[in-house]
Amino acid sequence: MTQLGQMDPPLKPGGAPQGQALYHGNCYAPLYALDEAVPKRRATAAQKAALDRARELQYVCRRCGARRDYPLGRGRWCEPCSYAATLYAAHAKARRWARELVAAPAARLVVLGAGPEERAQPETVAVVDVHRQELLHSGRTGAYGTAERSAVLDRLDELLEGCRVVHETDRGPVSRYPDMLVTPPGQPLHGDRAGLHAWLSPYRESVEKAAYVSRIWRHWYAWTSTEWSTIASEPWDQEHGVRVAWDRTTDAAADGLSMAALLHRIADGTEPVAEDALWLADGHGEPELPRRRRPRATGRA
């Protein structure tokens, strides 16, 4: 077909392939009869101009207008704008996650209060109704293996049965993980114990579904360590360590209510975003996401 199009005047196949050529061991090219070929329609001047313009635009970023020395391909993002668009897509998805949680009557947030040490024993536990921002349970956790701890676990089983459960964090500090309630002091967390209580495994509809307040917030906040990163994380520095938008204290009730309020602010779009979020820092504003990157609308959103 390529050879027919290169003839003068250009031709195109006029019938079915008469055979095929094998090359490179596993590639095939159909062969057409030359005497069946018909003239190929020539492009008009306007069509040629449109094609030339389209080819030229392949080198120009459709967001910032910068021209590159190589075609940008599908989407036509330059590298900086591609990073900004990736982070903004996650930012928009975080708002959708927050809206789903805020709108779900059976969404429950489980929070542990513990000291600042990485493996400090939990002191208090709270359950918060995310939709109504209402405290459903608050109290001491008791020591591991005691009747008090057993009663707490029974109460949580009762409150969280059939609910959409959300935890605070998916990455440190370990002392904030609800799994600590069923882990003996001094021992590492173990997945086998989580099977004893369904609410120890956060609710998920898919691999990407956010079941942690920290994940939703860091995607919304969109802080990155460098301008060439597409991975949002909690802000940190050597002096103050990791920073989040809520308190981490031994008072699980106060912490849980502040997290529920945070989810409502993200759902409303009123929670601040990092000042150096890439789509703000580059001065080009919010990227217009291609259709393949736009978050899908859901009935609960």
Side-chain angles (χ1 to χ4, degrees), residues 235-248:
W236 62 271
D237 56 57
Q238 292 183 349
E239 181 179 355
H240 300 96
V242 173
R243 181 176 65 83
V244 292
W246 60 93
D247 291 330
R248 284 174 166 168

Side-chain angles (χ1 to χ4, degrees), residues 87-88 90-98 214-223 232 262 265-274 277 279:
L87 283 164
Y88 183 75
H91 165 85
K93 187 180 290 186
R95 185 178 187 183
R96 189 180 85 249
W97 285 335
S214 60
R215 181 182 298 174
I216 294 175
W217 178 73
R218 68 173 175 261
H219 285 172
W220 170 265
Y221 194 67
W223 181 88
L262 172 72
R265 293 196 301 272
I266 292 176
D268 295 338
T270 56
E271 176 67 16
V273 177
W279 66 88

Side-chain angles (χ1 to χ4, degrees), residues 57-68 72-78 81 85 284 286-294:
L57 287 176
Q58 282 298 309
Y59 296 84
V60 179
C61 177
R62 68 185 185 89
R63 178 169 178 263
C64 68
R67 195 183 192 287
R68 302 292 171 174
L72 298 176
R74 185 178 179 182
R76 288 202 295 110
W77 302 99
C78 65
C81 287
H284 299 295
E286 298 178 355
E288 181 182 350
L289 299 177
R291 189 171 302 277
R292 63 189 175 91
R293 294 198 187 197
R294 291 175 186 167

